[in-house]
Amino acid sequence: MERIERHACFGGWQEVYQHTSKTLNCEMKFAIYLPPMAEEQKYPVLYWLSGLTCNEQNFITKSGAQQFAAQHGIILVVPDTSPRGESVADDSAYDLGQGAGFYLNATQTPWNTHYNMYDYIVDELPTLIEAHFPVTHQRAISGHSMGGHGALIIGLRNSERYRSMSAFSPIVAPSQVPWGKKAFNAYLGEDTALWKQYDTIALLNEVKNPLPMRVDVGLDDPFYQEQLKPELFANVCDEKQFTYSLGLHQGYDHSYYFVASFIGEHIAFHAKHLKA
Amino acid sequence: MERIERHACFGGWQEVYQHTSKTLNCEMKFAIYLPPMAEEQKYPVLYWLSGLTCNEQNFITKSGAQQFAAQHGIILVVPDTSPRGESVADDSAYDLGQGAGFYLNATQTPWNTHYNMYDYIVDELPTLIEAHFPVTHQRAISGHSMGGHGALIIGLRNSERYRSMSAFSPIVAPSQVPWGKKAFNAYLGEDTALWKQYDTIALLNEVKNPLPMRVDVGLDDPFYQEQLKPELFANVCDEKQFTYSLGLHQGYDHSYYFVASFIGEHIAFHAKHLKA
């Protein structure tokens, strides 16, 4: 593991590392923000999953999250969104292949040799972080758009591993919308039983006591109706009488200006559960 | 003037406009952040000047300034750093030509037909802003690196037009350092008397009562010794017994992580003087 960036930021350090991932079978980068902390102190971790076309840079340069992580004493870990490299299968579309891993384990060729983002995020990356950085085993997970989908499915399937989950503008029903159907057909094939393991709505229908969850969506998000469908999330949570928070925000769109405007509230939400 | 971007952000609006500049003889873009405000309300303006290689996007996507502008009720106006376009003279180096206007009025060919950023920032842009947006005539000015140089020379030469000035990592002595000598030779020629009009140290030696000023520099900035030389700023201010604040910050570098970490303090500093 090699550190390739280090910048002082809000009294702490914004760093970027490169390492060889066994799960993804390629070199990967991740970013980590370390708040100001005393020697031998440890902090809980919020994992952030980014959306289509992003890498480990977008969130750390655009969200302003470090300010709030410093205030609350939370370490931020920000992985890339897919395996990377010349030997990794890709597609010319922005919504398939590199930059579009959809946080699943692919079963279909040519994707199944590298596209195991689910296992990377749930197992390999936390193991690496917990071996090398001053972190506790308290974890939370959040993300934006495709990364909001990732945060919710991972939180729903691993409630013993996380304290809370949240999402901005998530793709909650990938099995039912164009982005998700295209990706799942390519990565998972036609076995729609398998699709359900990676679909927030399908998983909410199965689980009993989901983690504390907060979702925010902009009402002027151009993907609201066709790709995001937050009403499906509210409906299943209401049916199953789950506690949740769904914020619908007038004027806000799908950009990082939306994430930046509410990331302070998300980090406060996770801090409450991580430090309870 | 045409609006080309609009995003809800911290309860207000981050917008980008395109207009034809008479001063620069080309199409220009600028960004403006409008905090949440009541109808018929007006707010003062902080002009932000960016550094080498930047355009109107860097500050608005990376600084997190909108949060603080919203808190204090200040409008942010963020121009590009040079004239732009295929018909505008350019150079393949990052520190000359497009993206490197140095906030001066060029006298030398081929630069003198477009490179009049000084007049654009001091006159044309504020006139445009004050004709079209809900602003008062209270103005402040700030910037980063080449833009810190711009903010200081403009504030020093126009103390009747601004209430306060500040800078991150400014080039305070362009006549004495490689970035400035290269640019001034190209844009202004060999007349070093003219150089003094665009040199913070030379101007501080001339003025009597400069505006309130705050400067911050990172002690791990790789340009600190060769290009920035903040000790020259402190020396002349001390000699002339000017009130100033110079913050030197351990660990911080030249990046927007440094700007983001202290932009809240700069906006609070300007708010105090804009609303006095």
Side-chain angles (χ1 to χ4, degrees), chain A residues 48 59 62-65 68 142-145 167-169 252-266, chain B residues 8 10:
Chain A
W48 172 270
F59 182 73
K62 292 184 171 181
S63 73
F68 306 104
S142 183
H144 174 233
S145 194
F168 292 82
S169 329
Y252 286 89
D253 61 21
H254 203 69
S255 70
Y256 264 93
Y257 293 111
F258 174 50
V259 175
S261 299
F262 293 93
I263 192 68
E265 291 183 28
H266 277 240
Chain B
F10 285 100

Side-chain angles (χ1 to χ4, degrees), chain A residues 98-153:
Chain A
Q98 295 188 33
F102 272 86
Y103 304 102
L104 49 74
N105 295 330
T107 58
Q108 305 297 300
T109 55
W111 312 106
N112 53 357
T113 51
H114 294 282
Y115 284 75
N116 296 307
M117 285 298 289
Y118 180 87
D119 284 349
Y120 177 71
I121 301 297
V122 174
D123 292 323
E124 186 181 10
L125 184 61
T127 301
L128 187 75
I129 296 297
E130 288 162 24
H132 290 93
F133 297 96
V135 300
T136 68
H137 294 284
Q138 275 78 55
R139 307 177 200 98
I141 192 159
S142 183
H144 174 233
S145 194
M146 175 183 77
H149 141 77
L152 296 175
I153 61 156

